[in-house]
Amino acid sequence: MGVLQPAAQEKTGKIKNSRTSDTVMEFIMYVIAAVFLLILIYPLFFIVIASFSDPSAVAGGQVWLFPKGFTLDGYKELLRHDNIWTGYRNTILYTVIGTVIGLAVNISAAYALSRKDLTGRKYISLYFIFTMFFNGGLIPTFLTIRDFQLYDTFLVMVLPFSVGVYNIIVARTFFQTSIPGDLWEAAQIDGCGNLRYFARVVLPLSKAIVAVLGLWIAVGYWNSYFNALIYLKNPDMYPLQLILRNILITNQMQSGMGTGEAAQIALRLANMMRYSVIIVATVPIMCVYPFVQKYFNQGVMIGAVKE
Amino acid sequence: MKSGHRRPGRTWGQIKRNWGLYALLFPAAVLTLLFAYKPMYGVLIAFKDYSPALGITDSPWAGFKYFEKFFHSYQFSSTIKNTLIISVYSLITFPIPVMLALMVNQMRPNRFRRFFQTVSYMPHFISTVVMVGLMMILLSPSTGLVGNLYSLFGKEAPDLMGSAGWFSSVYVWSDVWQHVGWDSIIFIAALSAVDPSLYEAATVDGASRWHKVRYIDIPMLMPTAITLLILRVGGLLGVGFEKVYLMQNDLNATSSEILSTYVYKIGLLSSQYSFSSAINLFNTVINFILLIMVNQISKKLSENSLW
């Protein structure tokens, strides 16, 4: 089977051109690129160094390139908050299970839709695509979820919104362009049915699209708070993002505190924690993506463009 | 492909033979039916005096009462105006990822280019909650990076998160910051499909780099760009709930209340289900009409269309 692997061709370099206008253009371009990089990286870098710095130095504008008054107090404070850890656990559960369900549902539907000999293909596609442009809206969807007794359950976090039409379109295009049709004919002659062909032949050839969609879906689950906000009531089931919202944005830590020195310290710790909590919540997902990035070319690019 | 009538017997034969494909489609189709199409039926409550005890079917009809209520409410013009300002403003930033892609395409495939792309995708993986938390920290006039920058020059920083006048700019440009790299992927992909012999021919004809960008790259990007633009216009009134909701506070309330946040507040926070659904439906219908119109215009002008 190895021979049939879709060849990921790197584009060969363009012909060099040594004219001065080109050199000038190149120079300007790299300057713009450098400035752009700085604007992207610096705020992220700042959060990292601020999380290790004395908060009064951060607030006083003394932290620019290196941490000032190195401290781990923000992280220590974080360790004491149990709800962050239950949130972490919940998010991991939702992400892993949601991604498995999402991949299974979307990849298999996409493959079926990629087959030209699927009778009614056009109408089935339309059935899915229509939901991209028209939907019941918040309240009718909420009522539906409640009617199905899914409100405040584990299932509501991983099942109802697992069909991603955009994902299906991208994967469908991938299958159309990179799985040769002759393969199916050959398999058929050998007496192989659709399901076995899909599992044994198509999937092993489609690691790129599985990796890319898996990343998209996982990032979606890892980062989502809206469904939890609407469909969950029990705080023990809250995902990390909902807990982060309370710490970072609505600032519940600070409310209900008295004045005086104790309150000052509490406020200080809460402020420190805001930096470290950002790091702790973001680093895991950032760690995954470089591993999947190498598939972007094969996966997204083929999938998205030749629509 | 052969045209002409397909005999029903053959069609059934084909469906039967490919039952495996329908089995693959089944989970996605059922989930779509339950969680996308069933709520569409619930849209009826926009025309009814919905009462949970009676259910959707048995609640009494209310005609266009709730639509009129919305049109006459003092929130009507302000939510629409705010929604439009934010979405049109976002639309204007549409060419930025295209320009980024053109630039990346000019870079030689080397380490810098890889690094540049890796970094430019990174902010996309930050969750909305963390992103807004980040903005609150960095843009704070007293303790944030912006505040510190201003005080470096001895000036007073504007309160970017807490003023109505800044709201749309902060919303839109933070979005550009976060997603520009990611949004450019699809254009980079389109450019990687350019036949290298086109560049070679252009070089032979004495074209400079700029000429190649102008006459080869940009025309190559047009179909992809137009398709994406149509989709964006179709969602013109569909400014996302998540980020705006998190960015809202008492100080920017006059320019931050948009249709989706209003629907949420009316519907889920004050339980006026029918009223909320009416506003939502109004929003969806306008989007749908816009989409059809833009698609039609694009079909006439450029032969690019979604269907």
Side-chain angles (χ1 to χ4, degrees):
Chain A
M1 279 303 141
V3 195
L4 293 154
Q5 207 98 29
Q9 276 183 323
E10 267 291 303
K11 201 176 37 158
T12 46
K14 282 163 218 145
I15 295 175
K16 270 194 191 155
N17 193 327
S18 55
R19 298 201 304 177
T20 41
S21 72
D22 287 357
T23 320
V24 171
M25 186 173 147
E26 186 150 280
F27 178 73
I28 294 172
M29 190 188 80
Y30 280 108
V31 170
I32 295 173
V35 172
F36 180 77
L37 269 186
L38 192 70
I39 294 172
L40 281 182
I41 293 179
Y42 187 71
L44 300 175
F45 176 72
F46 177 80
I47 294 290
V48 176
I49 55 174
S51 77
F52 293 113
S53 298
D54 181 11
S56 47
V58 178
Q62 293 169 322
V63 175
W64 292 104
L65 283 176
F66 304 103
K68 267 259 162 63
F70 184 87
T71 168
L72 290 171
D73 287 354
Y75 292 93
K76 282 183 195 149
E77 177 68 11
L78 199 66
L79 283 169
R80 298 195 327 185
H81 283 266
D82 287 343
N83 57 354
I84 289 182
W85 303 110
T86 52
Y88 233 115
R89 187 201 61 203
N90 293 337
T91 291
I92 291 172
L93 275 177
Y94 298 145
T95 303
V96 171
I97 295 173
T99 306
V100 170
I101 295 177
L103 276 177
V105 167
N106 291 313
I107 294 271
S108 49
Y111 174 68
L113 285 172
S114 77
R115 281 273 295 273
K116 295 229 159 59
D117 55 343
L118 178 79
T119 310
R121 188 163 89 122
K122 221 177 105 186
Y123 300 102
I124 302 170
S125 294
L126 198 66
Y127 169 79
F128 287 111
I129 289 172
F130 183 68
T131 63
M132 281 176 99
F133 303 109
F134 197 86
N135 58 66
L138 183 66
I139 299 298
T141 309
F142 178 79
L143 294 176
T144 304
I145 296 278
R146 231 183 33 184
D147 287 350
F148 290 149
Q149 315 275 322
L150 289 174
Y151 182 74
D152 207 25
T153 61
F154 179 84
L155 220 51
V156 80
M157 297 303 292
V158 294
L159 189 67
F161 310 103
S162 54
V163 178
V165 179
Y166 185 75
N167 292 345
I168 293 181
I169 295 175
V170 171
R172 182 191 68 184
T173 319
F174 176 90
F175 290 129
Q176 274 168 357
T177 47
S178 56
I179 307 288
D182 304 346
L183 221 52
W184 165 235
E185 311 209 330
Q188 246 180 329
I189 292 166
D190 292 343
C192 179
N194 272 308
L195 293 180
R196 206 160 62 137
Y197 172 72
F198 175 65
R200 293 285 176 77
V201 180
V202 176
L203 280 183
L205 290 177
S206 309
K207 289 194 193 87
I209 197 68
V210 173
V212 169
L213 282 202
L215 178 75
W216 282 358
I217 297 171
V219 170
Y221 278 113
W222 185 274
N223 285 344
S224 81
Y225 80 95
F226 183 66
N227 284 342
L229 179 73
I230 290 175
Y231 300 117
L232 289 185
K233 188 173 58 184
N234 180 359
D236 289 341
M237 292 175 65
Y238 282 179
L240 185 62
Q241 300 296 332
L242 209 55
I243 291 164
L244 288 185
R245 169 176 167 258
N246 296 342
I247 295 172
L248 282 171
I249 294 161
T250 41
N251 246 329
Q252 292 189 344
M253 300 282 151
Q254 291 173 30
S255 61
M257 284 173 197
T259 47
E261 205 172 329
Q264 280 294 319
I265 292 171
L267 188 70
R268 203 179 111 107
L269 285 172
N271 269 334
M272 294 197 70
M273 215 174 77
R274 291 166 85 188
Y275 292 101
S276 42
V277 89
I278 287 180
I279 309 271
V280 170
T282 313
V283 164
I285 206 79
M286 293 268 194
C287 288
V288 183
Y289 118 87
F291 293 103
V292 185
Q293 202 194 357
K294 65 174 177 184
Y295 291 116
F296 280 172
N297 281 310
Q298 295 173 47
V300 191
M301 301 213 167
I302 294 172
V305 175
K306 293 173 185 161
E307 169 36 34
Chain B
M1 213 184 271
K2 269 183 217 164
S3 60
H5 295 290
R6 237 189 268 164
R7 279 166 298 159
R10 241 178 70 193
T11 309
W12 275 116
Q14 204 171 35
I15 291 176
K16 251 187 183 159
R17 203 150 21 94
N18 277 333
W19 67 269
L21 294 182
Y22 295 93
L24 289 173
L25 273 169
F26 187 72
V30 170
L31 286 170
T32 304
L33 185 72
L34 295 182
F35 297 105
Y37 282 96
K38 186 171 182 294
M40 285 183 203
Y41 171 71
V43 166
L44 275 182
I45 69 171
F47 304 97
K48 289 190 163 201
D49 280 317
Y50 175 73
S51 109
L54 293 173
I56 296 168
T57 318
D58 294 331
S59 291
W61 290 98
F64 286 89
K65 184 169 111 188
Y66 290 107
F67 291 89
E68 276 166 28
K69 187 176 168 190
F70 178 48
F71 298 150
H72 292 134
S73 76
Y74 75 103
Q75 292 277 25
F76 177 70
S77 57
S78 71
T79 49
I80 300 238
K81 199 180 94 189
N82 292 339
T83 311
L84 271 177
I85 286 175
I86 293 173
S87 53
V88 173
Y89 199 159
S90 313
L91 209 59
I92 293 170
T93 65
F94 182 81
I96 297 176
V98 182
M99 291 191 275
L100 188 71
L102 289 170
M103 200 167 89
V104 170
N105 193 51
Q106 288 299 312
M107 290 177 191
R108 284 190 215 100
N110 58 16
R111 273 202 176 160
F112 179 78
R113 176 174 164 159
R114 266 211 305 278
F115 177 71
F116 184 86
Q117 283 194 270
T118 306
V119 171
S120 70
Y121 302 161
M122 231 152 64
H124 177 79
F125 294 93
I126 298 173
S127 76
T128 317
V129 173
V130 168
M131 183 66 198
V132 176
L134 246 168
M135 286 155 65
M136 289 172 76
I137 291 174
L138 297 176
L139 302 181
S140 154
S142 53
T143 60
L145 197 56
V146 166
N148 292 345
L149 266 176
Y150 269 81
S151 59
L152 210 59
F153 298 101
K155 283 187 180 154
E156 188 111 352
D159 187 1
L160 295 172
M161 294 297 285
S163 70
W166 280 101
F167 185 82
S168 53
S169 294
V170 172
Y171 177 88
V172 169
W173 289 105
S174 61
D175 241 31
V176 170
W177 182 84
Q178 194 179 1
H179 301 297
V180 64
W182 187 258
D183 292 345
S184 71
I185 293 183
I186 193 163
F187 300 112
I188 294 171
L191 286 172
S192 70
V194 178
D195 185 353
S197 65
L198 275 178
Y199 292 117
E200 283 159 31
T203 311
V204 172
D205 289 343
S208 72
R209 277 188 128 173
W210 171 245
H211 281 132
K212 286 177 215 163
V213 171
R214 175 75 188 75
Y215 296 106
I216 301 175
D217 291 349
I218 292 179
M220 271 307 279
L221 284 181
M222 284 318 267
T224 313
I226 288 174
T227 309
L228 291 175
L229 196 62
I230 295 171
L231 286 173
R232 284 278 281 274
V233 174
L236 204 58
L237 288 183
V239 176
F241 167 89
E242 299 208 352
K243 197 172 156 198
V244 174
Y245 183 66
L246 291 171
M247 283 174 68
Q248 277 179 345
N249 54 45
D250 294 341
L251 297 167
N252 61 29
T254 49
S255 59
S256 67
E257 192 75 284
I258 59 169
L259 281 165
S260 57
T261 55
Y262 191 54
V263 165
Y264 171 74
K265 284 172 192 164
I266 293 285
L268 286 183
L269 300 186
S270 56
S271 297
Q272 303 184 51
Y273 289 170
S274 290
F275 187 30
S276 170
S277 297
I279 302 168
N280 208 137
L281 181 60
F282 167 79
N283 189 347
T284 311
V285 169
I286 302 254
N287 278 342
F288 205 59
I289 294 170
L290 275 174
L291 180 76
I292 291 169
M293 263 167 44
V294 176
N295 193 53
Q296 231 37 45
I297 293 170
S298 155
K299 222 179 201 168
K300 281 233 169 74
L301 293 181
S302 68
E303 292 174 355
N304 286 303
S305 72
L306 290 178
W307 57 81

